Amino acid sequence: TIGATKGHGFNGVVTRWGVTRLVRKSHRGLRKVACIGSWHPARVQFQVPRSGQRGYHHRTEINKKIYRIGKNLKEDPHSARTENDLTEKAITPMGGFSHYGEVTQDWVMIKGGIAGPRKRIITLRKSLLPQVSRRALEKIELKFIDTASKMGHGRFQTAEEKAKFYGGAMAKKARKAAEEAKETAEVAEA
């Protein structure tokens, strides 16, 4: 993947480079570099930690593993289904992804993290090196995709499951949502 990391703005040396803070009684601040170099050479060398921009840097990560490529919501409304888990559910977790929302377009599931915040554009590129290791060549069979809420301790995989557990008002709410979804599907077909 190729992308820009999450931006953190202008930071000092303690945050940016992890230098040790000075003692409490030090003169003119303590989150500083004590000595930025000798008298000669009469320049500050590039190795000396200085304050400045942290984050929003261009980064390339290699050996990312693609777990699944999914179709959009209209083409495949049950894209989170696996052979072991036959529950009819879309890839979007309950309540949506935090700071993102609902996934309605085609999507790619990748192992691990990627550079940058939500909604930042990244580039996926084929590997420039031939992949020969066992780990790279193994076939991936997903057994289960968790679609529980990502805000708090998610307990239910689908709205129907939640309605079944709570009953009453929740069941009514789920029925209403299902009817609305059916109506929108009929309108889209017409």
Side-chain angles (χ1 to χ4, degrees):
T1 61
I2 303 164
T5 59
K6 193 183 286 186
H8 295 279
F10 193 99
N11 278 131
V13 283
V14 174
T15 306
R16 194 174 183 223
W17 297 106
V19 301
T20 310
R21 289 183 340 151
L22 302 178
V23 292
R24 180 181 56 82
K25 293 175 79 171
S26 61
H27 186 46
R28 296 200 187 121
L30 47 79
R31 296 176 65 88
K32 295 167 169 286
V33 174
C35 175
I36 60 168
S38 55
W39 192 316
H40 290 288
R43 297 168 291 285
V44 177
Q45 295 184 309
F46 75 90
Q47 299 97 324
V48 178
R50 308 306 301 265
S51 56
Q53 172 69 29
R54 183 168 80 94
Y56 200 63
H57 304 305
H58 185 274
R59 291 288 178 266
T60 304
E61 290 188 322
I62 60 167
N63 299 337
K64 290 290 176 192
K65 188 162 257 198
I66 294 176
Y67 276 175
R68 182 176 278 196
I69 298 173
K71 290 274 177 218
N72 60 44
L73 207 57
K74 284 182 183 159
E75 285 182 45
D76 186 13
H78 310 304
S79 54
R81 188 191 287 173
T82 60
E83 277 189 22
N84 294 23
D85 177 35
L86 298 173
T87 313
E88 294 182 344
K89 56 186 181 179
I91 194 67
T92 307
M94 287 185 69
F97 284 102
S98 62
H99 301 283
Y100 182 83
E102 241 176 79
V103 177
T104 53
Q105 305 300 316
D106 296 354
W107 52 269
V108 179
M109 187 189 285
I110 297 175
K111 181 183 181 182
I114 53 168
R118 272 89 159 155
K119 301 183 182 179
R120 168 123 346 131
I121 291 173
I122 59 155
T123 306
L124 276 174
R125 181 183 70 192
K126 271 221 161 133
S127 177
L128 301 175
L129 305 166
Q131 297 294 320
V132 292
S133 70
R134 273 220 175 132
R135 182 175 267 177
L137 298 175
E138 68 184 351
K139 196 171 184 302
I140 293 162
E141 288 292 330
L142 293 179
K143 289 197 164 70
F144 177 73
I145 296 173
D146 184 28
T147 57
S149 175
K150 300 291 170 249
M151 299 168 210
H153 304 287
R155 204 171 151 180
F156 307 105
Q157 294 296 315
T158 59
E160 292 79 42
E161 190 180 318
K162 187 174 181 178
K164 192 174 170 186
F165 181 84
Y166 284 117
M170 284 301 298
K172 204 175 192 180
K173 204 174 187 181
R175 258 199 309 276
K176 194 173 182 182
E179 284 169 16
E180 284 175 12
K182 200 180 278 183
E183 284 171 21
T184 52
E186 287 169 7
V187 169
E189 286 171 16

